[in-house]
Amino acid sequence: VVDLVMLGYSVDSAALSHLAAVCSGQSSSVHLKKIDLGRCSMNGEPEAKPIASIVASAHLTSLILDGNIGFGNLGLSAFAAALPEECTSMTRFSVADCRLEPGCAVALGQLVHKLPKLDELHLEYNSLRNSDVEVLLEELSSHHLQHLHLSKNQLDDGALDSLRRFLSARRPLFLSVCRSLFCSFGQAGAVPPCYIYIHGNRMSEAVLDSIARQRLCSNDRVYQGARYVAQNRVHERSVSSLVQNYGGNFHNFASNSMMSSVGGYLRDDSHLVYIDLDGCHISDDGIRMLNNGGLRHNKCLQYLSVSNNCIHLLGFVTLLEAIVTGLPALRAVAVNDNPVFDNVEMSGALYTSCLQLLGQCSRLILLYLAATGLSDHVGSDIV
């Protein structure tokens, strides 16, 4: 069982037809699960039919066609038409940056109908309009798709009505109107949650705020929507909208000033298992505020990422203290791309404390320290 990655190679219809023949051969010992044909200079219609044959014969779970700008509407239509009914193996399909244009809605509807187990559909960096998304959302109203990527298209305020209808039919909805930002509405129902990503379109703040503030559940537990502005910033008062039962992603949005609030929610939340604080300009003070706010008292958190911030050795030691004294469920911590060990005095008390605390973190499965200046200390005690 293999994954085939042809990213950046030039692939024509003859090569794909040969691959389809290999996959369909009864004596074949190769079982493809994922094919990445991103940026392979495919022209669309000629390659679409052999790709559909590969999907059907190899029982693919993931197909990536990103960046084939010649694929377009013709390629998508040919692919959807060539797919057999009920391709139940496929869970991820990606045609990001494939120059899909207005008028592709029929092909998209046909595609999701033939892929009943599809979990992820990536359509970002194309030119889809409101009418295309309206048809697609109608087709998805009873589908179990869980991630729909519509970022960087040409949606505007006219998409509001179709989004509202979809919200009512498919709740709870997790709506991303900023980069990697999830907002939760309602509670679990028969249809699984759906994550929709619409950042980078042409929707106004007023419409985004209207979507976020809709009351979509019959009970009293409604998460208040935040006011999302065009520059992709989020106010501190919206923290309660971001930290939800099964995940909180603050990528590029938080700051030191929010860390006390985030820590408070981590202290009180009994379900949160994942939080991503990547690229939030957090310094040593931010880690201290996060810890004092309640991080160390969380009982359920399993994964914590503070990558790509401004954390030095003092902040890292504070984080290790929280891990050693609390966070019993934590198993993975990512601290990469921080200046943790830059210009560190190896004979200093702080460095010694770091060594001692690291020795008490054996329950962690992963501690990711790439690009933290650790390479400057190869041969030292810390390595």
Side-chain angles (χ1 to χ4, degrees):
V1 179
V2 298
D3 294 342
L4 178 63
V5 179
M6 298 293 291
L7 180 65
Y9 286 86
S10 181
V11 178
D12 59 15
S13 58
L16 292 170
S17 297
H18 179 68
L19 181 58
V22 171
C23 291
S24 61
Q26 293 183 354
S27 61
S28 176
S29 61
V30 177
H31 301 281
L32 294 177
K33 286 299 181 185
K34 169 186 172 182
I35 295 183
D36 187 343
L37 295 170
R39 306 194 183 280
C40 286
S41 304
M42 292 189 295
N43 294 317
E45 199 168 2
E47 289 86 2
K49 189 172 182 179
I51 292 174
S53 298
I54 294 169
V55 172
S57 59
H59 304 291
L60 285 184
T61 60
S62 177
L63 175 62
I64 301 171
L65 303 176
D66 298 350
N68 287 290
I69 58 177
F71 197 73
N73 288 15
L74 289 177
L76 183 68
S77 298
F79 175 72
L83 271 180
E85 295 288 340
E86 296 288 317
C87 288
T88 57
S89 61
M90 180 84 79
T91 59
R92 184 188 184 202
F93 179 59
S94 184
V95 280
D97 192 21
C98 283
R99 291 201 177 169
L100 300 183
E101 297 177 344
C104 66
V106 173
L108 287 173
Q110 187 179 13
L111 184 73
V112 298
H113 176 73
K114 290 184 174 183
L115 300 173
K117 300 296 184 181
L118 195 66
D119 287 333
E120 294 183 42
L121 178 58
H122 291 259
L123 301 169
E124 58 265 50
Y125 291 95
N126 285 295
S127 300
L128 274 64
R129 300 282 179 87
N130 298 341
S131 57
D132 301 299
V133 172
E134 180 178 4
V135 173
L136 178 60
L137 291 177
E138 287 178 359
E139 186 68 36
L140 290 172
S141 60
S142 58
H143 196 285
H144 280 228
L145 188 83
Q146 296 186 40
H147 296 269
L148 176 59
H149 294 259
L150 295 170
S151 305
K152 300 291 185 179
N153 277 280
Q154 296 183 16
L155 306 184
D156 57 29
D157 292 357
L160 177 60
D161 289 340
S162 57
L163 279 169
R164 276 179 170 160
R165 285 194 297 271
F166 185 79
L167 301 185
S168 300
R170 275 292 303 272
R171 61 180 184 264
L173 170 81
F174 291 77
L175 175 66
S176 167
V177 295
C178 296
R179 184 180 176 187
S180 302
L181 182 61
F182 301 144
C183 217
S184 170
F185 299 83
Q187 294 180 333
V191 182
C194 183
Y195 295 78
I196 296 188
Y197 307 78
I198 58 172
H199 54 269
N201 281 283
R202 302 173 178 177
M203 304 178 79
S204 67
E205 178 186 354
V207 164
L208 295 177
D209 190 60
S210 173
I211 295 172
R213 290 181 183 277
Q214 277 193 32
R215 187 185 182 92
L216 298 171
C217 52
S218 58
N219 57 37
D220 293 330
R221 188 180 180 189
V222 180
Y223 296 105
Q224 296 299 316
R227 297 186 64 82
Y228 303 102
V229 299
Q231 291 77 20
N232 287 349
R233 295 292 184 268
V234 61
H235 296 296
E236 183 174 353
R237 62 187 169 85
S238 66
V239 173
S240 60
S241 302
L242 311 186
V243 180
Q244 300 303 335
N245 287 345
Y246 300 105
N249 192 325
F250 292 81
H251 185 78
N252 283 336
F253 294 105
S255 62
N256 279 347
S257 63
M258 290 179 65
M259 289 304 101
S260 290
S261 298
V262 173
Y265 285 106
L266 288 172
R267 178 193 62 227
D268 299 332
D269 198 304
S270 60
H271 300 289
L272 188 72
V273 296
Y274 172 100
I275 190 162
D276 181 345
L277 294 166
D278 292 4
C280 294
H281 308 290
I282 303 170
S283 66
D284 295 349
D285 283 341
I287 295 296
R288 175 183 55 79
M289 294 166 68
L290 182 68
N291 192 30
N292 291 344
L295 171 66
R296 64 182 183 274
H297 299 299
N298 185 280
K299 304 298 183 185
C300 299
L301 195 68
Q302 297 177 23
Y303 176 86
L304 169 66
S305 176
V306 290
S307 305
N308 193 27
N309 283 290
C310 308
I311 301 168
H312 291 80
L313 186 58
L314 178 59
F316 183 52
V317 167
T318 303
L319 184 60
L320 291 177
E321 289 173 344
I323 295 170
V324 169
T325 59
L327 296 167
L330 193 67
R331 293 296 179 266
V333 181
V335 196
N336 54 292
D337 294 281
N338 280 286
V340 175
F341 299 105
D342 289 358
N343 304 314
V344 168
E345 177 56 54
M346 295 176 61
S347 60
L350 197 59
Y351 181 81
T352 302
S353 295
C354 179
L355 288 180
Q356 294 172 345
L357 290 166
L358 279 171
Q360 301 176 56
C361 292
S362 58
R363 61 182 166 82
L364 291 180
I365 296 172
L366 170 67
L367 179 59
Y368 190 34
L369 293 171
T372 56
L374 190 59
S375 59
D376 297 335
H377 301 274
V378 173
S380 70
D381 292 336
I382 199 163
V383 177

